Amino acid sequence: MSQRPAAPRGGSVGSRASLVVGLVVIFAIVGAGLSTMKYEQVDEGERGIIITQGRVEGIQEPGLFFRPFAPFTSISVVNVRRQTRQASQNVASSDKQLYDIEIQVDYSRLTSPEALRAAYGEIGVSDDQLNAFLDGFINDALKSASTQFTLDQALSDRGSFADRIRQFLTTPPGDGQRPPVEQLYVRLEAVKVLDIQVGEAYAQLLAEKANLEVQIETEEKRRQQIEAEQSNDLFQAEQEATVALTREKGRTAAALEAASRDAQVRAIEGKYWRENPELFELRKRELMVEMLKNGNMWFIDPNTDLTLLLNQLTDSAANTVVPVPTPNDQP
């Protein structure tokens, strides 16, 4: 019966040792990778600034940042959401009135990679540090705007006051510096004047002024109403006068037309009577007969134009006319 030769123990031990060393190396590499790994979750409304050995390497958009074997890399998360700052201050108006004002400024960081890089290098990523700088600019803007408005103007036109504060924050100061919003790398969203509080004495003056303005407005409306009524009465009188004038013109025109036609008729009759004396005598006798039918007796001066008189009497009524005898006539 044959036997196999026994394997040397040294080779088996060496292979195992190599395997163990390999596993140790692998675990060491994995451990080093895990210990130096950088992992960060960047949410919406945030940006991540990737910094390697003190230098801004890049900007991480919302999402997951993962990098193994990055012992010299860090990521700083920056808030780019809309934020609000409120400031209250006691200021003096252009008419030397002291009052308390409270404003609200809405802003957000610029999200461009260049702006985020510059902001990190100049003011960092801390919101507290950014707000400290912004509060200083807001207070300066309040002082500057208050000197350009009277207290009455500030109370009645808060929109213009807020626009002046916005202008101060977005306009270069004039000494070669950048505007405050550019120095802080922020976008100005809105500026609002929340409240303005004055002293009791001035508040009483404002109340009296408001009452006086109401009285003035009431009197103005009353005056306008009276003027409207007077204008209406004047218009009505003008219309009535126009109607009366038109009526009188019509009557005058009708009378003139009738007189003209009557004159034409009489002219034609006179023409006929001059051309035919017998017709004229016949007309006189007809008229006398018509007047005698009434039975009244009239005494007329012999020098009276009988033709004209007879015509007038015939138009009104039939009357009896008897000539008055002259002294030379026989009874």
Side-chain angles (χ1 to χ4, degrees):
M1 183 175 187
S2 61
Q3 295 182 351
R4 293 183 179 179
R9 291 181 174 271
S12 176
V13 174
S15 62
R16 290 180 180 178
S18 299
L19 179 60
V20 171
V21 171
L23 292 176
V24 170
V25 172
I26 292 173
F27 284 126
I29 294 174
V30 172
L34 293 176
S35 63
T36 59
M37 176 188 66
K38 290 298 181 291
Y39 169 85
E40 189 70 38
Q41 175 68 36
V42 180
D43 297 329
E44 192 67 36
E46 297 177 342
R47 296 294 185 273
I49 300 178
I50 304 172
I51 304 165
T52 302
Q53 294 182 347
R55 181 179 64 85
V56 178
E57 179 183 344
I59 304 299
Q60 175 65 37
E61 295 293 328
L64 179 64
F65 173 79
F66 174 78
R67 180 179 295 182
F69 301 105
F72 304 106
T73 300
S74 63
I75 181 168
S76 299
V77 178
V78 181
N79 181 16
V80 295
R81 299 183 183 91
R82 179 168 176 163
Q83 303 184 61
T84 298
R85 297 298 297 169
Q86 291 186 0
S88 300
Q89 192 174 5
N90 183 267
V91 295
S93 62
S94 61
D95 55 348
K96 309 304 179 183
Q97 299 290 336
L98 294 177
Y99 60 96
D100 295 327
I101 184 172
E102 181 179 1
I103 68 169
Q104 174 180 313
V105 178
D106 295 343
Y107 72 96
S108 60
R109 294 177 185 266
L110 298 177
T111 58
S112 64
E114 295 79 8
L116 291 174
R117 289 171 181 268
Y120 175 79
E122 295 182 21
I123 60 177
V125 297
S126 173
D127 288 342
D128 294 336
Q129 191 171 1
L130 174 61
N131 292 334
F133 285 117
L134 184 59
D135 290 345
F137 286 122
I138 292 175
N139 291 331
D140 292 340
L142 275 175
K143 294 178 181 179
S144 175
S146 63
T147 58
Q148 300 182 9
F149 293 88
T150 64
L151 180 53
D152 190 21
Q153 291 174 343
L155 290 170
S156 60
D157 192 2
R158 298 187 179 186
S160 298
F161 198 102
D163 291 340
R164 182 63 186 87
I165 296 175
R166 173 186 287 272
Q167 183 181 359
F168 179 85
L169 295 175
T170 56
T171 304
D175 53 358
Q177 296 183 0
R178 296 175 298 167
V181 292
E182 293 186 8
Q183 295 183 35
L184 301 179
Y185 300 96
V186 296
R187 180 189 302 107
L188 203 60
E189 303 290 350
V191 178
K192 301 177 182 178
V193 177
L194 299 179
D195 189 21
I196 296 178
Q197 296 181 356
V198 298
E200 295 182 358
Y202 196 84
Q204 184 177 0
L205 291 177
L206 290 177
E208 294 177 355
K209 178 183 177 182
N211 293 332
L212 182 59
E213 289 179 349
V214 170
Q215 295 177 3
I216 293 175
E217 184 178 359
T218 302
E219 292 298 329
E220 180 66 18
K221 291 182 179 180
R222 181 180 178 183
R223 183 186 65 81
Q224 293 176 357
Q225 183 179 2
I226 293 175
E227 290 181 354
E229 292 177 355
Q230 292 177 350
S231 177
N232 187 24
D233 294 342
L234 179 60
F235 176 76
Q236 185 176 359
E238 290 178 352
Q239 293 297 319
E240 292 177 354
T242 302
V243 172
L245 180 60
T246 304
R247 186 185 300 114
E248 291 299 327
K249 286 182 178 180
R251 291 177 179 176
T252 303
L256 291 176
E257 181 67 20
S260 176
R261 292 182 179 180
D262 186 65
Q264 293 177 1
V265 171
R266 294 185 180 277
I268 294 173
E269 290 178 351
K271 178 181 178 182
Y272 288 158
W273 292 340
R274 287 192 301 273
E275 294 178 354
N276 193 350
E278 292 79 5
L279 182 60
F280 177 69
E281 292 295 332
L282 179 60
R283 178 59 180 166
K284 288 170 59 177
R285 294 179 182 274
E286 290 177 353
L287 293 175
M288 292 184 66
V289 169
E290 291 178 0
M291 287 186 292
L292 288 173
K293 290 179 180 179
N294 193 21
N296 294 329
M297 300 295 292
W298 294 85
F299 297 92
I300 303 172
D301 188 354
N303 297 324
T304 303
D305 187 353
L306 294 178
T307 304
L308 180 59
L309 181 59
L310 292 173
N311 286 334
Q312 293 177 353
L313 292 176
T314 304
D315 294 337
S316 61
N319 296 308
T320 303
V321 180
V322 177
V324 178
T326 61
N328 296 329
D329 293 339
Q330 295 296 326

